[in-house]
Amino acid sequence: MHINPVILPALLWLYTISGITAMPIGTPDLSHCQPFSNETNCCIINSTNIVDFKLPDKPPETLRVRPAAHLVDKEYILKYANATKLMKSLPFNHPWNFIQQANVHCAYCDGIYNQSNFPNMTLEVHGSWLFFPWHRMYLHFHEKILGKLIGDENFTLPFWNWDSAEGMEIPSMYTDANSSLFDNTRWKNHKPPNILNYGFLDGRSNNNMTRQIEANLRVMYRIMVSGAKTTELFLGGPYRAGDDESSSAGSVEIEAHSYIHLWTGDDMSSFTTSARDAIFYAHHSNIDRMWELWKGLPGGKRSSYNDTDWLDSAFLFWDENLQLVRIRVRDVVDTKMLGYVYQEVPIQWLSTPPKVRDGEEMSSAFSLVELPVMLDSAVNINVELPERKMESMEEVLVVDGIEFDARVHVVFDVYVGGSGTSRKAFAGRFDHVPVKKWKKGAIGTLLVRKRLVLGLTDLVEELRLERGGRALVTLIPRSDRGVMKVKVGAISVQLST
Ligand code: C2O
């Protein structure tokens, strides 16, 4: 059947709003790139020759092993630094050039492309179920190209093992100012021996290392185990063709992932520039590893989506044969099929659950408000805690209609407690990594709308909150960079099966 190309978008839109058939996110039209300025022109190099990515029939006999960055030897570091150096010295317009590689990341996250068939909708790979698979694809091609440049098909990227005590500082291979792996825009006061601070924005003086490490591990436990018991909580919420960006990020994306971008600074602290720092790839290698670990954890429903709108979402990347390829989410659900696994290291956070019991004392002075509200100070909100029909149901706190300017670092904490007490437990954080610029006229404004979902069951149980009764949610805005205007639309506790 031949459909008039003029009415096709309208038809697709109708399909979507009628809910009959949603559709997967399709590959962007690379000839329609909308850079925001010359300085941040991150359009992907185009080609008319696009082929489909092909998986082998079965995994290779020997799998490549991605190593922990703090455990590799000198030889590995030399090899990796050399590969990156070669990438940096390619002609600027070569698709493998390091900046062109970094641009691919910028292009898929700053509204540079619109969704194919939906000219009013930007394409964004953060904040939804696209986050894990898209970054897996991105790393796969980057790794393959690096291997090609040094003639080593078995080359693997390292992972920044920031979820273990030994890996909580910038791995040494990235700190040598003469190395291709160095980036001189990183925050100087976060150099080793400073360690990552998952919990506070001023994480400069780590005067109590042991406490800091323990606090970080407890965050890991919450975002991997107790707060990540459903597919949506961990992988992020649906985002289909024609959707705006109001989906929800998964637990690891919205917390550890954001913290580490912002803590590393300054290229790393914005999606526009983050992949210009080689450490980006090790950071995301560990993110990718978290997806692998999560699948194997006990308790909850930890399987990938089987929704075809997820599986068939497709993207374009330049591969190691200098070919522009179209790859789908279904191609990357199994790392073994892509030929790699992760080095096994001890997982300390598994035995470090957060201390929720009894919560902590909180000021009762925060005002009790109705939503929507502009979050310029800490507020309390009453919510109903529904009765569960089945033991296996997961309570999920949904904070909806979070509106703000995407160029600002927006962060707020969520605490939950019983309605008659001032004791509360930390439920999670909303942490938005800003984009540096924004293309002109994107839906007329820089406003974005997001949703936060937090797994609550363990917290409800440990705090002995009364199901069928009420709970009190406290939202505390935290900002280290001046004014942060954020509006919160609605809060509810929903049950997920
Ligand atoms: Cu695409 Cu960590 O960002």
Side-chain angles (χ1 to χ4, degrees):
M1 183 174 64
H2 180 258
I3 300 175
N4 182 335
V6 179
I7 64 162
L8 183 63
L11 260 178
L12 295 169
W13 176 77
L14 258 179
Y15 266 121
T16 310
I17 58 159
S18 61
I20 304 170
T21 328
M23 281 191 315
I25 295 282
T27 51
D29 175 357
L30 297 189
S31 65
H32 278 92
C33 179
Q34 313 165 74
F36 15 68
S37 73
N38 284 340
E39 161 217 352
T40 43
N41 176 347
C42 60
C43 301
I44 299 173
I45 294 176
N46 199 2
S47 162
T48 46
N49 177 13
I50 299 171
V51 303
D52 279 320
F53 179 80
K54 284 226 165 38
L55 274 182
D57 298 331
K58 54 177 185 13
E61 301 270 303
T62 34
L63 295 164
R64 294 173 291 125
V65 182
R66 286 189 181 167
H70 68 285
L71 296 176
V72 296
D73 57 17
K74 282 222 174 65
E75 197 192 327
Y76 175 90
I77 298 175
L78 272 172
K79 185 163 72 171
Y80 179 29
N82 181 36
T84 303
K85 191 172 160 197
L86 289 171
M87 201 176 241
K88 289 187 171 177
S89 48
L90 287 169
F92 185 73
N93 284 327
H94 194 292
W96 295 351
N97 175 286
F98 189 78
I99 295 292
Q100 300 295 347
Q101 286 284 297
N103 282 351
V104 172
H105 183 257
C106 163
Y108 275 109
C109 71
D110 283 324
I112 303 293
Y113 295 106
N114 287 328
Q115 295 177 25
S116 49
N117 301 324
F118 293 90
N120 296 322
M121 294 293 174
T122 52
L123 176 56
E124 165 64 60
V125 297
H126 301 90
S128 76
W129 67 8
L130 295 184
F131 174 76
F132 284 97
W134 185 90
H135 288 82
R136 176 170 288 175
M137 296 168 182
Y138 183 49
L139 261 62
H140 168 78
F141 292 111
H142 187 72
E143 178 175 82
K144 284 290 183 181
I145 295 168
L146 288 167
K148 186 81 170 219
L149 285 167
I150 51 169
D152 178 1
E153 285 195 343
N154 294 320
F155 174 75
T156 47
L157 288 166
F159 64 89
W160 181 0
N161 192 192
W162 38 247
D163 59 308
S164 85
E166 300 72 25
M168 283 180 193
E169 60 180 32
I170 297 202
S172 65
M173 73 168 93
Y174 297 95
T175 59
D176 171 2
N178 297 314
S179 164
S180 61
L181 303 174
F182 185 70
D183 181 313
N184 66 8
T185 69
R186 288 183 206 134
W187 307 137
K188 306 266 179 299
N189 47 14
H190 286 177
K191 280 200 287 217
N194 276 291
I195 58 161
L196 269 166
N197 182 334
Y198 287 19
F200 312 93
L201 292 166
D202 67 350
R204 246 150 280 173
S205 58
N206 292 289
N207 34 27
N208 194 330
M209 286 266 220
T210 329
R211 267 188 53 208
Q212 184 63 61
I213 289 170
E214 195 193 292
N216 292 349
L217 292 173
R218 294 193 195 284
V219 171
M220 285 311 303
Y221 184 96
R222 183 169 45 75
I223 63 182
M224 288 294 287
V225 186
S226 52
K229 288 198 260 181
T230 70
T231 307
E232 178 167 359
L233 284 171
F234 181 78
L235 285 184
Y239 174 57
R240 307 170 202 273
D243 286 354
D244 64 11
E245 296 163 23
S246 53
S247 186
S248 57
S251 52
V252 165
E253 180 186 357
I254 198 76
E255 295 200 36
H257 165 254
S258 293
Y259 302 154
I260 289 156
H261 271 283
L262 293 155
W263 181 88
T264 308
D266 185 29
D267 276 346
M268 273 285 275
S269 61
S270 148
F271 286 152
T272 314
T273 51
S274 53
R276 293 183 186 186
D277 185 339
I279 207 169
F280 172 97
Y281 301 92
H283 174 34
H284 269 278
S285 186
N286 203 39
I287 294 282
D288 188 64
R289 177 175 160 262
M290 291 303 126
W291 184 8
E292 282 304 283
L293 292 177
W294 173 80
K295 287 197 289 190
L297 295 174
K301 293 154 219 99
R302 299 171 187 271
S303 53
S304 295
Y305 284 104
N306 51 27
D307 189 316
T308 51
D309 287 343
W310 184 65
L311 291 165
D312 290 327
S313 290
F315 305 93
L316 298 172
F317 292 90
W318 284 94
D319 76 358
E320 72 277 18
N321 300 313
L322 213 51
Q323 172 70 51
L324 192 58
V325 298
R326 175 178 173 275
I327 182 169
R328 296 164 305 169
V329 167
R330 66 170 72 246
D331 296 324
V332 300
V333 288
D334 182 357
T335 70
K336 295 198 180 71
M337 290 299 281
L338 293 171
Y340 72 90
V341 287
Y342 287 97
Q343 176 183 12
E344 287 194 27
V345 292
I347 301 174
Q348 298 148 348
W349 44 261
L350 259 183
S351 51
T352 321
K355 292 180 182 149
V356 173
R357 194 164 293 280
D358 301 329
E360 50 188 281
E361 193 62 35
M362 287 222 125
S363 160
S364 46
F366 302 154
S367 47
L368 188 65
V369 298
E370 302 271 338
L371 297 180
V373 74
M374 283 303 295
L375 201 59
D376 33 35
S377 60
V379 294
N380 283 326
I381 300 125
N382 261 318
V383 296
E384 316 269 342
L385 210 54
E387 207 83 67
R388 292 195 303 180
K389 308 239 157 32
M390 279 181 295
E391 270 287 295
S392 61
M393 282 179 149
E394 173 71 13
E395 282 133 330
V396 179
L397 183 74
V398 181
V399 185
D400 227 329
I402 308 169
E403 290 182 3
F404 53 92
D405 185 327
R407 296 167 303 181
V408 179
H409 177 208
V410 166
V411 45
F412 62 83
D413 286 344
V414 182
Y415 284 81
V416 176
S419 56
T421 154
S422 51
R423 303 198 75 86
K424 301 227 167 57
F426 186 58
R429 167 174 283 188
F430 181 83
D431 199 345
H432 161 80
V433 178
V435 294
K436 284 227 165 95
K437 302 245 167 63
W438 198 265
K439 71 172 198 206
K440 289 182 261 42
I443 327 174
T445 158
L446 316 180
L447 209 65
V448 287
R449 199 158 205 265
K450 304 277 172 187
R451 178 183 151 94
L452 173 68
V453 292
L454 298 169
L456 224 53
T457 306
D458 284 22
L459 191 148
V460 167
E461 261 148 34
E462 289 196 47
L463 281 180
R464 294 164 299 249
L465 299 182
E466 194 201 329
R467 293 187 166 109
R470 292 179 147 227
L472 202 60
V473 175
T474 304
L475 302 181
I476 307 179
R478 308 221 184 252
S479 176
D480 60 342
R481 296 184 187 180
V483 205
M484 170 185 97
K485 280 198 182 146
V486 53
K487 184 168 146 187
V488 174
I491 296 189
S492 59
V493 175
Q494 298 176 8
L495 297 172
S496 146
T497 47

